[in-house]
Amino acid sequence: MPTPVLTALHCYPVKSMAGCAPDEALMEPWGLAGDRRWAVTDADGRVLTQRQAPRLALGAAVPLPGGGVRLGAPGARPLELAPPVSGERGTVTVQVFSEKVTAVPAGAAADAWVSAFLGAPSRLVHMADPAHCRPIDPDYAHEGETVSFADGYPLLVTTTASLRALDALVAEGDHAAEGPLPMDRFRPNAVVDGTEPWEEDGWRRVRIGEVTFRAVKPSGRCIITTTDQRTAERGREPLRTLARHHRLGGKPVFGQNLIPEHTGTLRVGDPVEVLD
């Protein structure tokens, strides 16, 4: 087989909104530079995702120099924001799943924008210090390893071979009309071509370009994968087919979670080497 290669990178500045696809990105200890450093919460401080608010898929977040972000959505005026300074606005405690995380409010203009977009009182917050805010699950992490507002790990990698295999299974199922599925349903950070289907499930250590990673846990999938990222409408696939044909540890899975062993730059076209 040819050497596997990195074919796409994806960065999502605001958790659960659409992001961007750069040709290269700095891999920081807690995620790609700028990835999921912002999040939307409800009025009670719970971080929202497409699980609760599928409309978030229609929001776009473009990174700006210095860690800022430009928000956009159908029918809404774009809003550009600089990273908030905690000393000026204080901090708030937000809830990410069962975790309490310290964040900085983005301000009244940002809150008004996201509230109008979602049609409910909401806030936008920023993770100012990802080196200390949110430890990775200690069952899979080394001491001191942290993550952004991502679901659990710094980098999610998927493979085109596994998507082709999944699409073939969807085509044989009772919701075949929903396929073939685009890779954006899985919201990966990195996409790799040139592997065997489902090979990534068994990775333990992998090098992408100049960065080496520990592969710690296949990615358990949720209802977000059934959400069309262009319309915010939900179907049944791919969750139905994964539940039938590709379960690990009792959960439908697709993709592999990675933790970097050091920093470096990832570039589209980088070779991918499985070390273990």
Side-chain angles (χ1 to χ4, degrees):
M1 289 185 64
T3 301
V5 296
L6 179 67
T7 58
L9 286 166
H10 298 280
C11 177
Y12 311 94
V14 178
K15 183 176 178 66
S16 262
M17 286 190 183
C20 59
D23 291 330
E24 63 179 57
L26 176 64
M27 186 70 225
E28 296 177 329
W30 39 82
L32 294 180
D35 185 60
R36 298 176 173 97
R37 291 286 297 278
W38 304 76
V40 179
T41 77
D42 65 14
D44 296 320
R46 291 184 291 261
V47 168
L48 295 172
T49 73
Q50 291 181 33
R51 296 171 179 84
Q52 305 88 7
R55 182 172 167 77
L56 281 168
L58 304 181
V62 178
L64 298 176
V69 67
R70 179 188 296 115
L71 303 179
R77 296 187 65 178
L79 178 65
E80 293 191 359
L81 299 166
V85 179
S86 58
E88 296 176 354
R89 294 180 180 158
T91 62
V92 294
T93 299
V94 300
Q95 185 168 336
V96 187
F97 304 115
S98 61
E99 306 165 69
K100 301 293 186 180
V101 177
T102 300
V104 183
D111 293 349
W113 194 97
V114 294
S115 296
F117 168 54
L118 292 179
S122 307
R123 300 185 76 182
L124 186 70
V125 298
H126 181 255
M127 183 181 286
D129 187 8
H132 299 99
C133 283
R134 189 175 172 226
I136 299 173
D137 184 339
D139 288 343
Y140 301 97
H142 294 165
E143 185 176 355
E145 290 180 327
T146 60
V147 66
S148 67
F149 281 123
D151 275 3
Y153 302 91
L155 198 83
L156 172 63
V157 62
T158 59
T159 69
T160 54
S162 294
L163 181 59
R164 287 193 294 268
L166 176 60
D167 280 336
L169 292 170
V170 170
E172 296 170 357
D174 49 4
H175 294 278
E178 293 188 26
L181 299 164
M183 190 66 85
D184 66 6
R185 290 292 187 91
F186 304 96
R187 297 181 62 81
N189 295 116
V191 181
V192 172
D193 192 33
T195 68
E196 294 290 340
W198 314 119
E199 175 188 322
E200 65 277 13
D201 293 344
W203 291 351
R204 293 296 175 264
R205 198 160 172 264
V206 61
R207 181 184 295 119
I208 303 176
E210 63 186 42
V211 185
T212 303
F213 298 85
R214 300 193 329 270
V216 294
K217 185 176 181 290
S219 180
R221 308 315 306 215
C222 70
I223 196 171
I224 291 176
T225 61
T226 70
T227 307
D228 188 314
Q229 296 297 296
R230 289 158 181 78
T231 66
E233 296 177 356
R234 283 195 170 135
R236 302 295 296 277
E237 296 294 359
L239 207 54
R240 187 176 180 88
T241 294
L242 286 173
R244 288 178 170 177
H245 297 286
H246 199 68
R247 298 170 67 94
L248 295 174
K251 295 182 178 180
V253 301
F254 188 91
Q256 178 67 257
N257 289 300
L258 306 181
I259 298 175
E261 295 183 347
H262 54 86
T263 61
T265 299
L266 301 182
R267 298 175 177 88
V268 172
D270 276 345
V272 177
E273 181 183 3
V274 179
L275 303 175
D276 187 13

